Amino acid sequence: MARGVLVLGLAAGVPVLLPATPAAAHNSLTGSDPTNGARVATAPKRIELRFLASPAPATTKITVTGPDNVPAAGGAPTFAGNRVSVPFTPGAAGLYIVAYRIGSADGHPVSGEVRFTLTTGTAAAPPSTTAAPTTAAPTSAAPGTPTAAPATSAASPTPAADEADDDGGTGWLWAVGAAVVLVALGAGLLLRRRSARG
């Protein structure tokens, strides 16, 4: 009689235990570095996720996005047992979201997120440093040209002034010459008239 009750009890307990086995086949996240909700001042080189079971590379997808949905994963994930790590490329300070999707032994995918905040971001000032040399380049080239420029500018006005003086001088000479010729002609005419009268 006691044995029959024991057998019935064991038979009744078996259906209760059977549904738990498929649920145990689900994989799940057990930890991460940085941890979920952490505030990080120094950006890590890699982000690591730890799972209950070893995830299969073919069914694992991990993305990392920073502020303004800018991708922050620096390469493909690497697998070591139940650990998966992704190279991290930090950007601006703010919230970073690590989204994962992995397969399970029962075929059902498991997905989730790990969020952490980077309190210090990368500076965005390189473009201004490249613009400065371009403005400085003309100033460095200028020292060679100003030495020649004043010479050409100083030389150009003086020939113009000389040409004007030469033209003025020749004009006066022509006027004086013409006056001398007229005086000589007048004197010649007077001499002829006097000689004709005498």
Side-chain angles (χ1 to χ4, degrees):
M1 184 74 178
R3 288 181 180 179
V5 173
L6 182 60
V7 171
L8 289 175
L10 290 174
V14 170
V16 176
L17 295 176
L18 288 177
T21 54
H26 282 290
N27 204 348
S28 61
L29 185 73
T30 59
S32 64
D33 185 17
T35 58
N36 189 29
R39 295 179 64 85
V40 181
T42 303
K45 293 183 179 180
R46 306 181 72 85
I47 297 173
E48 183 181 87
L49 302 179
R50 296 182 291 274
F51 295 96
L52 185 64
S54 299
T59 57
T60 300
K61 181 180 180 181
I62 298 176
T63 59
V64 184
T65 54
D68 299 326
N69 292 325
V70 177
T78 56
F79 298 81
N82 65 336
R83 299 169 182 261
V84 183
S85 59
V86 182
F88 180 55
T89 303
L95 179 65
Y96 285 79
I97 301 175
V98 184
Y100 62 88
R101 182 182 175 89
I102 60 174
S104 298
D106 60 356
H108 292 86
V110 177
S111 60
E113 292 180 349
V114 172
R115 299 179 173 223
F116 66 93
T117 301
L118 185 63
T119 58
T120 57
T122 56
S128 62
T129 58
T130 55
T134 56
T135 56
T139 58
S140 63
T145 51
T147 54
T152 55
S153 62
S156 59
T158 48
D162 292 339
E163 289 174 3
D165 294 339
D166 291 341
D167 293 338
T170 55
W172 282 106
L173 289 175
W174 279 106
V176 171
V180 170
V181 170
L182 290 174
V183 170
L185 288 174
L189 290 174
L190 288 173
L191 290 174
R192 284 182 183 180
R193 286 180 182 179
R194 287 181 182 179
S195 61
R197 287 179 183 177

